[in-house]
Amino acid sequence: MLFIATLWDAINDPIMGTIADRTKSRWGRYRPYFLFFPPLFTATAMLVFANPDLPMMGKIVYTEVFYIMWGMLYTILTMPWQSVLPAHVKDDNTRNSLIQAGGTCMAIAFTIASSFTTNFIALFGGSYVPLMFIYGVFTCIMYWMLFKTSTERYLMPVEKRSVGADLKRLVKYKELNVLQN
């Protein structure tokens, strides 16, 4: 299951990056993803941990489908999130400070979540679904705050070529091509 999901993620990431770079909306290139996709991400995370009354093969297929969907939604959120900072802040020192602050906050959140997940699960009778809802609420709040506070002042123009041509160009970069490493 994880092999299929990871393989699709390796394909999906550059596609989403290309789509995000080509997005045109009244909110900008990257910011629309912060509005609409966090609730879908939350719902999908909850569905990954739901335990439907299905035969074993049905549970395996169900889990695979929703895990892949969760991974795609994660990519839909993180690709624009990683791209909005250079579009928002021009100064390298300020950008590096923001990256450091964000990394510190993520490390603290990860430490809290990983340290107390078993305690939280016990509170919910052994189910991850309510915990995914709580984590999802925090995710929505953070992305909506990012939408509210970010701007895209320093966007690089996107050259006019097909998505396929962009993806072919990505394969040429040795660092990005796992088959060449």
Side-chain angles (χ1 to χ4, degrees), residues 2-174:
L2 291 176
F3 173 75
I4 294 168
T6 304
L7 181 64
W8 173 243
D9 192 49
I11 296 166
N12 181 42
D13 284 0
I15 293 170
M16 186 57 217
T18 303
I19 291 170
D21 284 342
R22 293 168 180 273
T23 298
K24 294 178 183 171
S25 80
R26 66 180 182 174
W27 299 294
R29 191 179 289 174
Y30 307 114
R31 293 174 63 239
Y33 297 96
F34 307 152
L35 268 183
F36 305 111
F37 288 96
L40 290 172
F41 178 76
T42 300
T44 304
M46 291 168 62
L47 289 169
V48 166
F49 288 100
N51 189 10
D53 187 22
L54 298 170
M56 184 55 73
M57 184 51 76
K59 286 184 181 202
I60 290 169
V61 170
Y62 172 91
T63 303
E64 181 73 10
V65 166
F66 282 103
Y67 185 72
I68 289 172
M69 285 177 59
W70 177 84
M72 289 174 64
L73 287 161
Y74 181 81
T75 298
I76 288 170
L77 288 173
T78 56
M79 287 295 163
W81 169 64
Q82 293 170 3
S83 300
V84 80
L85 186 58
H88 178 70
V89 178
K90 196 169 191 171
D91 178 61
D92 287 341
N93 291 331
T94 304
R95 191 177 316 128
N96 290 340
S97 294
L98 288 169
I99 291 169
Q100 182 180 10
T104 301
C105 289
M106 286 180 65
I108 291 168
F110 180 80
T111 300
I112 291 168
S114 62
S115 297
F116 299 106
T117 292
T118 53
N119 300 41
F120 293 145
I121 299 306
L123 277 173
F124 301 125
S127 175
Y128 279 82
V129 175
L131 186 59
M132 291 301 105
F133 176 76
I134 292 168
Y135 289 163
V137 168
F138 284 118
T139 299
C140 290
I141 290 168
M142 293 298 114
Y143 273 100
W144 292 338
M145 286 174 56
L146 181 59
F147 175 83
K148 180 91 170 124
T149 60
S150 63
T151 57
E152 298 177 6
R153 290 178 270 201
Y154 309 108
L155 290 173
M156 299 294 293
V158 177
E159 295 180 32
K160 293 188 179 202
R161 62 180 164 257
S162 71
V163 172
D166 271 354
L167 294 175
K168 284 179 187 174
R169 289 181 66 196
L170 280 175
V171 177
K172 291 180 183 179
Y173 290 100
K174 182 181 175 191

